[in-house]
């Protein structure tokens, strides 16, 4: 009986253990299945998130690309606009500059025309005739190879600023300024019709000193030199008869005038150039008309050291002798002086 009970207990225990084993096995299977399903869900979720991430990244790249494209387009538009405005400003500036230059050029041309007109008004027949002689002499020297064109400049009828008077600026008219490598010369031309008596003093005039008394000159010293001109003239008297007579004129002192002009020119050149020891030599040329029916000639009593010439041959001979002296100026210096005195006429 006891064995039977034990057997039954053992069977019951075995059955219970079997049932528990089965349940545990089912639980393991369920657990494994649940784990597999969970892992599958996790994989699906991860895959979904990866797809979303890729999609987001793709969208971000697209947005970034679009933003860059818009920005680039705006930048190009701004650049085009800036270049357009810059070109417009540049074009407007060039137009204004061209117009300003044109206006300035017109004013300069007008001024030049006015100056040329003034020059024509003050240039007398004698200066024109003297200029022709100077040009012919230079051209002849250049043709013969004695002189190069840039070694001698003839500058006619210029005006040099004169600062000799205090608080007053005036101009000194120069008939001809000659620039040579051997020297600088102020040529004062007197083209007086009639007979010129130059350098006459009271001491030399003797019984004709009364002629000087009637002339209005500065200074009355015994040795002051004067210049008078005897001019022939034909008139009709009250009866209708033609008569010849002589008029006496006084036009000033050419030597003093030439000296003063040389001093003013020398001071101006010294002040406006870097050249030292400048000396401007005064020369007087009595280029009086050569006509048979007129009483022409020069009587020169002057004791002045200023060079005085009265014929074309004397003028040419003087230039030839001066050209043989030692050279004191370079071609560059002559050009500098030439530009200086020519441009001063437009100040």
């Amino acid at each position: 009986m006891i064995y039977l009970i034990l057997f039954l207990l053992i069977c019951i225990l075995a059955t219970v253990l079997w049932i528990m084993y089965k349940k545990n096995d089912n639980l393991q299977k369920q657990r494994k299945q649940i784990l597999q399903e969970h892992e599958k869900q996790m994989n699906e979720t991860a895959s979904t998130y990866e797809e979303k991430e890729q999609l987001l990244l793709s969208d971000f790249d697209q947005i970034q690309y679009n933003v860059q494209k818009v920005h680039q387009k705006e930048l190009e538009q701004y650049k085009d606009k800036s270049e357009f405005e810059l070109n417009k400003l540049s074009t407007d500036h060039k137009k204004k500059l061209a117009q300003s230059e044109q206006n300035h050029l017109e004013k300069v041309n007008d001024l030049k025309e006015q100056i040329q007109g003034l020059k024509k008004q003050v240039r007398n027949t004698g200066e024109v005739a003297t200029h022709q002689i100077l040009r012919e002499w230079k051209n002849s020297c250049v043709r013969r190879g004695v002189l190069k064109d840039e070694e001698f400049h003839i500058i006619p009828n210029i005006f040099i600023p004169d600062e000799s008077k205090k608080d007053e600026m005036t101009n000194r008219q120069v008939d001809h300024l000659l620039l040579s490598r051997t020297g600088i010369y102020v040529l004062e031309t007197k083209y007086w019709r009639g007979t010129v008596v130059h350098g006459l003093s009271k001491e030399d005039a003797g019984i004709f000193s009364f002629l000087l008394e009637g002339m209005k000159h500065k200074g009355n010293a015994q040795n002051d030199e004067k210049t008078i001109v005897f001019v022939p003239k034909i008139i009709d008297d009250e009866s209708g008869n033609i008569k010849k007579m002589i008029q006496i004129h006084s036009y000033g002192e050419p030597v003093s005038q030439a000296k003063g002009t040389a001093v003013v020119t020398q001071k101006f050149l010294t002040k406006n150039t870097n050249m030292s020891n400048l000396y401007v030599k005064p020369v007087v040329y009595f280029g009086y008309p050569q006509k048979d029916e007129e009483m022409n000639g020069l009587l020169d009593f002057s004791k002045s050291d200023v060079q005085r010439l009265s014929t074309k041959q004397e003028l040419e001979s003087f230039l030839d002798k001066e050209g043989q002296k030692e050279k004191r100026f370079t071609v560059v210096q002559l050009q500098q002086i030439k530009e200086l005195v020519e441009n001063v006429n437009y100040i």
Side-chain angles (χ1 to χ4, degrees):
M1 188 68 180
I2 295 171
Y3 291 108
L4 179 61
I5 294 170
L6 289 171
F7 176 75
L8 290 171
L9 289 171
I10 292 170
C11 290
I12 293 170
L13 181 60
T15 302
V16 171
L17 290 173
W18 173 252
I19 293 171
M20 291 179 65
Y21 171 78
K22 284 293 185 180
K23 286 183 177 181
N24 184 51
D25 185 55
N26 290 333
L27 288 173
Q28 290 293 331
K29 290 181 179 180
Q30 290 178 357
R31 183 184 177 196
K32 184 177 181 181
Q33 185 177 1
I34 290 171
L35 288 174
Q36 289 177 348
E37 291 179 355
H38 179 69
E39 184 177 358
K40 182 179 179 182
Q41 290 178 353
M42 290 294 293
N43 291 333
E44 291 177 353
T45 301
S47 177
T48 301
Y49 276 109
E50 287 180 357
E51 291 177 358
K52 290 182 178 181
E53 182 181 7
Q54 292 295 327
L55 183 60
L56 287 174
L57 289 174
S58 177
D59 292 342
F60 178 77
D61 291 340
Q62 183 65 36
I63 292 172
Q64 188 179 24
Y65 172 76
N66 292 336
V67 170
Q68 289 179 348
K69 189 174 182 180
V70 171
H71 177 70
Q72 183 68 27
K73 185 176 181 181
E74 291 177 349
L75 184 62
E76 290 177 355
Q77 290 177 348
Y78 177 77
K79 183 178 179 181
D80 293 340
K81 184 178 180 181
S82 299
E83 289 180 354
F84 174 77
E85 293 178 350
L86 183 63
N87 291 333
K88 186 176 182 301
L89 289 174
S90 177
T91 302
D92 293 342
H93 175 71
K94 288 180 179 179
K95 288 182 179 179
K96 292 180 179 179
L97 183 61
Q99 185 62 41
S100 177
E101 290 179 349
Q102 180 64 28
N103 294 337
H104 177 71
L105 183 61
E106 290 177 356
K107 291 181 180 179
V108 170
N109 289 334
D110 290 341
L111 184 59
K112 286 183 178 179
E113 290 179 1
Q114 294 177 17
I115 292 173
Q116 291 298 327
L118 290 173
K119 285 184 176 182
K120 290 179 181 179
Q121 292 179 16
V122 299
R123 183 180 296 151
N124 56 38
T125 306
E127 293 175 20
V128 175
T130 303
H131 188 76
Q132 184 65 27
I133 294 173
L134 294 172
R135 290 296 304 172
E136 290 176 355
W137 174 85
K138 178 183 177 180
N139 292 337
S140 175
C141 291
V142 172
R143 284 194 303 269
R144 290 183 285 114
V146 178
L147 188 70
K148 293 182 180 179
D149 184 72
E150 63 273 13
E151 292 180 330
F152 194 91
H153 298 288
I154 305 168
I155 310 175
N157 198 41
I158 59 173
F159 296 86
I160 302 296
D162 184 359
E163 301 178 4
S164 59
K165 297 181 180 180
K166 294 183 179 179
D167 302 327
E168 184 180 358
M169 174 67 76
T170 59
N171 291 323
R172 193 88 176 202
Q173 194 263 343
V174 182
D175 292 345
H176 280 92
L177 182 65
L178 307 180
L179 306 179
S180 170
R181 294 196 62 186
T182 57
I184 300 174
Y185 309 90
V186 164
L187 184 62
E188 183 70 30
T189 299
K190 297 303 178 185
Y191 199 74
W192 292 333
R193 175 175 171 265
T195 299
V196 179
V197 181
H198 172 64
L200 189 65
S201 65
K202 290 181 180 179
E203 181 182 12
D204 296 328
I207 62 174
F208 298 102
S209 61
F210 70 92
L211 294 174
L212 302 182
E213 296 292 344
M215 303 296 176
K216 294 181 179 180
H217 289 287
K218 292 182 179 179
N220 294 311
Q222 186 74 4
N223 294 322
D224 283 348
E225 295 183 348
K226 315 299 179 186
T227 301
I228 56 178
V229 183
F230 296 89
V231 182
K233 188 175 182 180
I234 298 176
I235 63 171
D236 293 335
D237 62 10
E238 295 178 354
S239 302
N241 299 320
I242 297 177
K243 291 185 176 182
K244 293 183 179 181
M245 62 178 296
I246 295 177
Q247 292 182 335
I248 302 174
H249 297 275
S250 175
Y251 300 114
E253 300 309 312
V255 167
S256 299
Q257 188 176 352
K259 279 185 175 181
T261 303
V263 171
V264 170
T265 304
Q266 182 174 319
K267 288 182 178 179
F268 174 75
L269 296 180
T270 301
K271 179 180 178 181
N272 293 277
T273 66
N274 57 357
M275 304 175 201
S276 59
N277 300 323
L278 276 172
Y279 175 70
V280 178
K281 186 173 184 177
V283 181
V284 177
Y285 175 53
F286 293 96
Y288 51 85
Q290 301 291 327
K291 295 183 179 179
D292 296 336
E293 68 273 12
E294 294 180 341
M295 182 176 61
N296 295 311
L298 172 66
L299 299 177
D300 194 346
F301 298 97
S302 176
K303 298 178 179 64
S304 172
D305 58 351
V306 174
Q307 186 73 46
R308 300 176 302 281
L309 311 167
S310 61
T311 65
K312 174 184 176 182
Q313 290 74 21
E314 288 182 359
L315 178 57
E316 292 176 342
S317 177
F318 167 76
L319 294 174
D320 288 335
K321 290 179 181 179
E322 290 295 313
Q324 295 174 5
K325 293 183 178 180
E326 181 182 357
K327 292 180 174 60
R328 301 174 55 202
F329 300 97
T330 65
V331 171
V332 175
Q333 288 175 324
L334 295 182
Q335 183 64 31
Q336 179 184 353
I337 296 174
K338 180 177 182 293
E339 292 177 357
L340 175 64
V341 296
E342 286 180 340
N343 291 334
V344 78
N345 290 285
Y346 305 103
I347 295 177

